[in-house]
Amino acid sequence: QSQELSQARIDYHVALQSLQEHGTRMVCTGKMHTDRICRFDYLCYSSEAEEFVFFHSNSSVMLPNLGSRRFQPALLDLSSVEDHNTQYFNFLELPAAALKFMPKPVFVPDVTLILNRFNPDNLMHVFHDDLLPAFYTMKQYSDLDDEARLVFMEGWGEGPHFDLYRFLSSKQPLLKEQLRNFGKLMCFTKSYVGLSKMTTWYQYGFVQPQGPKANILVSGNEIRQFAKALMDKMNITKVEEAWKDGESFEQEKDKENKDDYIIVFSRSTTRLILNEAELIMALAQEFQMRVVTVSLEEQSFSSIIQVISGAFMLVSMHGAQLITSLFLPRGATVVELFPFAVNPEQYTPYKTLTSLPGMELHYVSWRNTKEENTVTHPHRTWEQGGIAHLEKKEQERILASKVVPRHLCCRNPEWLFRIYQDTLVDIPSFLYVLREAMKTKPNLKKAKMASTVHPGQVREARCQTSVQTPNEAKLSVSWQIPWNLKYLKVREVKYEVWIQEQGENTYMPYILPQQNYTFSDNIKPFTTYLVWVRCIFNKNLLGPFADCKNLVH
Ligand code: UDP
């Protein structure tokens, strides 16, 4: 099925002639290899050499033309993980004239997106590193539509979640190992290489200990749009959709409460909850709700997403399965459990996800603090946290340690040892943490009211100073409402005025409800003030500053 790259859709001789005459053309976005995506006409791939090939001719284009800086360290990142040295993309160069001596190229007619999956065995990585970035890279370039072809160059097999990648387009994705089936030389008529990093929120600790990315650019809205698109592909109708319009919150609440339920997402091979039944009973009793368990080993992915999309609460051990939080309805709670000696504050891919503005999820972590409730596995392989291969001293140090110190990815034995422990969840301490957290759960009604429309700049900001006496002066500031305000219903509109004496590095901020004010305190005659005004909706939606410079002679 995957092999039917119908050559009929393109005129082979026209394509070959075009390649020979015009060669390869490349135009990219991005100043650095880490933010670059390139668009190619006639990028070729030699399966013999396992290299991409750029054919030079009189009309080829290579922008950016980096010269040998193209190898310092690479043209671009082929995965969404920033600057990872196993994920670089580059191509070899040849004159188009060399085509005469090469195997006849096979042309790929589809618009193609070429990328590396980062870790297709792990569900969190599948979503965070591949599916979300590919989905939004495809949104960025309109010819990467439902007919687009995806090519995965990382060299892995399909992996356990290949069906999820199939949802990205109607065409079967190709793996690197399959490319050789198309002959020794294949040429992509039109292709994009690289992935947008705009949607990623977590860095895995290659250069500094893992944590949220420094500059997160995605909000819950984009995550939820992606989740909805994926659910449509899986033919899942989200429970929440049914009560979006026309019903009051109270009606919803009444209806909701009746069939609300809690999910315990269980792992069946590693990092176990040893008293799952007891935990389930405690949850059912505490919330007077049904509790259902799901696991990747027992249910299909789509049936798991179906139940998650209507859940009140999701409880799980730390682990990749928690990425399914992105399918929870707004207002739901995520409870993440951590084994002994693992500090929840330092491993926050799911906390960060649930806390994105607009995700509207409530996050709670619980940590096993009782060493007698942990079950260790020192004799397992190092990947599964075994430590028996380490020197006796080091084993003893790890066993005596009460918390894993900060560390880099990915083979820290103490981290792996601790994160792969099984846990007997202490029910009283679990319920205590949960009760405390539920007290501070923001209510859904408020969350739903929160608008995301920011104020525009205030208009006609005017400042005027007047000298009263040699020691007294006044500064009058006035402005007009932002243009977009007249079309909006905003609960609270306020203005913030900043006044800075020229040459000073501090300023005085004032919050005002009205559109003008005359300042006299701290205003000196014969002094220049810099004044800025901005509008604020509902306490935290800030508009841009408008400035008025005021000069006194
Ligand atoms: N996994 C699972 N059940 C288990 C152990 C793992 O479903 O008992 C899944 C897990 O959700 C992830 C993959 O297998 O998708 C790899 O798990 P691993 O423990 O290596 O990674 P982590 O969950 O710590 O990210």
Side-chain angles (χ1 to χ4, degrees), residues 45-47 49-52 115-117 150-158 173-182 186:
Y45 178 76
S46 161
S47 53
E50 300 196 9
E51 298 269 14
F52 285 94
L115 61 106
N116 274 9
R117 297 178 298 168
L150 276 78
V151 176
F152 302 147
M153 292 305 299
E154 78 289 335
W156 295 35
E158 288 190 348
L174 295 177
L175 302 174
K176 182 182 176 188
E177 62 182 19
Q178 293 169 328
L179 297 185
R180 57 181 72 252
N181 301 342
F182 298 101
M186 73 196 286

Side-chain angles (χ1 to χ4, degrees), residues 121-123 161 267-271 296-297 319-321 350 420:
D121 286 351
N122 180 299
L123 196 61
H161 306 294
R267 295 170 58 110
S268 4
T269 57
T270 61
R271 205 175 304 147
L296 291 171
E297 288 92 348
Q321 67 287 343
Y350 315 108
Y420 279 111

